Amino acid sequence: MTLWKKWFSSASSAPQARERLQILLSHERQVVGGDDLLASLREDILAAVAKRVPCDRDTVKVRLERGAPLSILEIEVEIRGNVELVLNQAA
Amino acid sequence: MAKIITVTSGKGGVGKTTTTAAIGAALARTGDSVVVVDFDVGLRNLDLIMGAERRVVYDFVNVIQGDARLPQALIRDKRVETLFLLPASQTRDKDALTEEGVDKVIGDLSRHFDWVICDSPAGIERGATLAMRHADIAIVVTNPEVSSVRDSDRIVGILDAKTLKAERGETVDKRLLLTRYDPIRAARGDMLKTEDVLEILSLPLLGIVPESHDVLRASNFGVPVSIHDPESAPARAYVDAARRLKGETVAMEIPGKPRLGFFGKFLRRAA
């Protein structure tokens, strides 16, 4: 029976590949320039944070996790030392 | 001025270098002057596929850094006299290729040749974007397999954003070259069909190169597959693709009709 199954009723795999690619690429094409979006977000966040606290370009990490019902934008900014919570209007 | 072609794919191992050598040799066989340029700094292989690995003295990076003049670095092919190679260097320094250096070398080459064919490294890093920067035509090499198709889609996006043509508001002429295609498996439904890949990527088709032992054999000898055994299926596919690049209309042949075994040949002879 297994052999029979293997020879005669094995579903072809190409339609699977085709369908998966179509779904995946329609997603990925929506965020064409996705890199640019993340890069601009990073610049904006860096500018906003750096206005108050000194921080480096390399320490700002922006990740976008794309999902069907909702996507998550994750922002991580490393700041050297202990941040004082008193607003420091140095400038 | 030369036509500048970039052979690219995103994914590694799909046949970029094989294609660069094969199309370069096929175009040169028509009498056009052709230079194939290896952009894969650190992992050069075009020299090996062309059978010129023992003749490399100077390379792309030497020319950019002013240690050699361009004519000193160019290697003339021993079989086709209008075919030249500019090898990549084996240096590990990824930043050895600079934008200005590449601009200058490609500019010089395009004044002296009919075709400049840039063999891109895999990936989407600097080497790949430098290789596509000057492209008039991009040959997107794709295997009928999910990861290759996805990476090709990604590369198409980059071709539309990061080339000089894109910066000028023009578009690179992108053509799909389907390689390692197995018509028997495709017919059985176990491999993406040409139409599937074309529909998904929506690119015009440059050619279909069948999966074949001849590709490995030609590389063992260090001869571009298009001139190693001109009667072989991949050679014919590459020669046709080269003719299409020259603007000829060549019917798209679906290669690799099942080869007849001993009995098949016998029966055919008997019939």
Side-chain angles (χ1 to χ4, degrees), chain A residues 13-21, chain B residues 142-150 178 180-183 185-187 189-198 200:
Chain A
S13 58
Q16 288 281 327
R18 190 190 141 100
E19 202 186 314
R20 288 175 58 220
L21 274 170
Chain B
T142 307
N143 292 168
E145 173 270 325
V146 285
S147 59
S148 175
V149 174
R150 180 200 209 172
L178 198 57
R180 311 197 71 161
Y181 189 71
D182 185 338
R185 292 175 74 187
D190 275 334
M191 181 181 271
L192 287 166
K193 287 194 173 67
T194 309
E195 308 86 76
D196 294 334
V197 182
L198 286 176
I200 293 168

Side-chain angles (χ1 to χ4, degrees), chain A residues 1-67:
Chain A
M1 182 59 200
T2 21
L3 260 186
W4 178 264
K5 234 182 183 171
K6 206 172 167 189
W7 285 345
F8 294 102
S9 59
S10 77
S12 53
S13 58
Q16 288 281 327
R18 190 190 141 100
E19 202 186 314
R20 288 175 58 220
L21 274 170
Q22 274 167 338
I23 293 168
L24 174 74
L25 294 185
S26 75
H27 264 276
E28 287 188 342
R29 282 172 192 156
Q30 276 169 17
V31 277
V32 158
D35 289 344
D36 295 337
L37 170 72
L38 290 188
S40 338
L41 272 173
R42 216 179 92 172
E43 288 307 309
D44 293 351
I45 291 159
L46 176 71
V49 177
K51 236 167 52 177
R52 305 286 179 203
V53 202
C55 68
D56 276 346
R57 184 170 301 268
D58 304 339
T59 61
V60 181
K61 291 187 183 109
V62 179
R63 270 185 299 271
L64 182 63
E65 214 174 283
R66 282 177 297 127

Side-chain angles (χ1 to χ4, degrees), chain B residues 2-266:
Chain B
K3 279 255 186 216
I4 301 172
I5 301 179
T6 297
V7 180
T8 186
S9 70
K11 190 173 185 300
V14 296
K16 284 183 295 297
T17 302
T18 302
T19 296
T20 303
I23 298 239
L27 283 171
R29 267 280 156 90
T30 69
D32 289 358
S33 61
V34 180
V35 60
V36 290
V37 183
D38 193 347
F39 272 79
D40 205 345
V41 169
L43 291 170
R44 77 163 171 235
N45 274 318
L46 187 54
D47 56 335
L48 201 52
I49 298 300
M50 304 270 298
E53 70 279 8
R54 293 172 63 188
R55 299 167 61 209
V56 175
V57 183
Y58 295 111
D59 58 54
F60 201 167
V61 171
N62 293 143
V63 175
I64 285 180
Q65 294 178 342
D67 300 329
R69 288 178 308 111
L70 187 51
Q72 292 177 298
L74 290 176
I75 302 170
R76 186 195 286 266
D77 189 83
K78 285 201 162 153
R79 298 149 297 234
V80 190
E81 65 168 18
T82 53
L83 178 61
F84 289 80
L85 162 71
L86 179 59
S89 82
Q90 283 290 54
T91 169
R92 277 156 143 215
D93 180 10
K94 277 197 299 182
D95 298 327
L97 287 187
T98 58
E99 211 164 81
E100 305 76 52
V102 170
D103 290 356
K104 169 128 196 352
V105 171
I106 298 295
D108 287 348
L109 290 174
S110 68
R111 274 189 291 279
H112 293 98
F113 288 90
D114 297 319
W115 301 88
V116 177
I117 308 183
C118 306
D119 184 18
S120 171
I124 53 174
E125 305 289 315
R126 199 181 147 77
T129 49
L130 280 176
M132 66 173 65
R133 185 171 153 80
H134 293 267
D136 298 308
I137 302 172
I139 300 179
V140 180
V141 182
T142 307
N143 292 168
E145 173 270 325
V146 285
S147 59
S148 175
V149 174
R150 180 200 209 172
D151 290 358
S152 292
D153 192 72
R154 190 80 198 280
I155 278 292
V156 167
I158 297 172
L159 283 165
D160 288 337
K162 290 197 176 168
T163 50
L164 287 176
K165 281 216 158 198
E167 283 171 19
R168 290 196 299 258
E170 301 164 34
T171 47
V172 175
D173 176 4
K174 301 173 290 287
R175 318 275 188 96
L176 177 76
L177 186 76
L178 198 57
T179 55
R180 311 197 71 161
Y181 189 71
D182 185 338
I184 298 167
R185 292 175 74 187
R188 234 178 16 219
D190 275 334
M191 181 181 271
L192 287 166
K193 287 194 173 67
T194 309
E195 308 86 76
D196 294 334
V197 182
L198 286 176
E199 194 195 321
I200 293 168
L201 292 177
S202 54
L203 291 179
L205 184 61
L206 178 65
I208 307 165
V209 182
E211 169 83 73
S212 163
H213 297 304
D214 295 302
V215 174
L216 180 64
R217 271 179 61 80
S219 77
N220 288 342
F221 287 113
V223 182
V225 65
S226 55
I227 58 173
H228 182 249
D229 174 5
E231 289 308 306
S232 70
R236 282 185 288 134
Y238 277 120
V239 167
D240 284 356
R243 290 173 61 198
R244 289 183 196 110
L245 285 170
K246 291 190 75 170
E248 288 179 45
T249 312
V250 184
M252 194 66 68
E253 202 184 326
I254 301 293
K257 290 190 188 107
R259 280 213 172 156
L260 296 173
F262 172 76
F263 281 107
K265 279 186 186 152
F266 180 78

